[in-house]
Amino acid sequence: ELVITEEVRRRGIPTVEVLAACVKRIWGPFYRGWLVTQQLDGGEDLWTAVRDGLVRQAGANAVFNAVAGSLQALHREGIYHRDLNLKNILVRQESDAVRGYIIDFDRALLFLGEVPPIMVQRNLDRLLRSVNKLDPRGQYLSPNDWKSFVDSYHGRKADEP
């Protein structure tokens, strides 16, 4: 996770800075590891931002566009996040705009080129499962909100097919 997180940063994807790592061997090839990262002042996970945070302040479009841009960059730079969910995306208002940060790369895969389209779709599907798990009634993220997010990811405006 340390190596991948640093590679993510090297490739220009917004993520948190790793300050320290610790590994404790449990038995044989098994171990437990921890990363200490710099706190992202003013940042909140996307679920919190949607439920009662930044979406109310900055607007859904600003937040979804920021997250979609970060996720596009992640895939363009060849990083597949195997546990993409609303808790592994941080957002915060910065001086000029909202910015999305992707975290928790312990099961991520690196590619030499872009992430293949089928795996991009798996990432988006995984994120939608997280939405449906945390907000099963669509109280905070409606199907239209999800469509807006996906449209933003694919670079489409709201009125395009």
Side-chain angles (χ1 to χ4, degrees), residues 1-2 4-5 8 14-16 18 35 37 74 79-85 87-90 101-108:
E1 183 175 8
L2 171 64
I4 291 176
T5 301
V8 167
T15 190
V16 293
V18 176
L35 285 184
T37 61
L74 190 78
I79 300 137
Y80 177 73
H81 194 300
R82 292 174 64 175
D83 189 24
L84 193 64
N85 64 65
K87 297 287 195 167
N88 286 338
I89 300 171
L90 303 178
Y101 293 78
I102 313 295
I103 63 169
D104 195 7
F105 293 99
D106 63 319
R107 296 175 46 218

Side-chain angles (χ1 to χ4, degrees), residues 15 27 38 44 49 57 71 77 121 147 149 157:
T15 190
W27 175 80
Q38 183 172 3
E44 56 191 16
Q57 297 167 7
L71 195 53
E77 291 297 323
Q121 189 58 53
K147 182 183 180 319
F149 170 76
K157 293 186 176 34

Side-chain angles (χ1 to χ4, degrees), residues 19-157:
L19 301 175
C22 178
V23 174
K24 178 180 179 184
R25 194 161 293 283
I26 297 173
W27 175 80
F30 302 104
Y31 67 91
R32 179 167 288 202
W34 299 269
L35 285 184
V36 177
T37 61
Q38 183 172 3
Q39 182 174 335
L40 188 62
D41 290 334
E44 56 191 16
D45 67 67
L46 186 54
W47 174 236
T48 300
V50 166
R51 195 180 63 236
D52 53 19
L54 191 57
V55 168
R56 288 187 185 162
Q57 297 167 7
N61 283 343
V63 173
F64 295 155
N65 289 343
V67 171
S70 293
L71 195 53
Q72 281 175 325
L74 190 78
H75 292 148
R76 183 179 57 250
E77 291 297 323
I79 300 137
Y80 177 73
H81 194 300
R82 292 174 64 175
D83 189 24
L84 193 64
N85 64 65
L86 295 176
K87 297 287 195 167
N88 286 338
I89 300 171
L90 303 178
V91 291
R92 77 171 173 180
Q93 179 69 53
E94 298 189 354
S95 60
D96 56 340
V98 175
R99 190 162 184 194
Y101 293 78
I102 313 295
I103 63 169
D104 195 7
F105 293 99
D106 63 319
R107 296 175 46 218
L109 299 174
L110 297 177
F111 289 86
L112 292 176
E114 293 185 11
V115 173
I118 193 164
M119 294 184 82
V120 166
Q121 189 58 53
R122 283 185 198 156
N123 250 180
L124 294 174
D125 291 346
R126 173 71 182 90
L127 187 56
L128 181 57
R129 281 193 303 276
S130 174
V131 168
N132 291 332
K133 178 181 176 183
L134 292 171
D135 188 18
R137 293 187 307 243
Q139 182 177 356
Y140 301 103
L141 276 164
S142 70
N144 284 337
D145 291 330
W146 179 254
K147 182 183 180 319
S148 294
F149 170 76
V150 172
D151 286 347
S152 179
Y153 176 88
H154 290 295
R156 295 187 296 252
K157 293 186 176 34

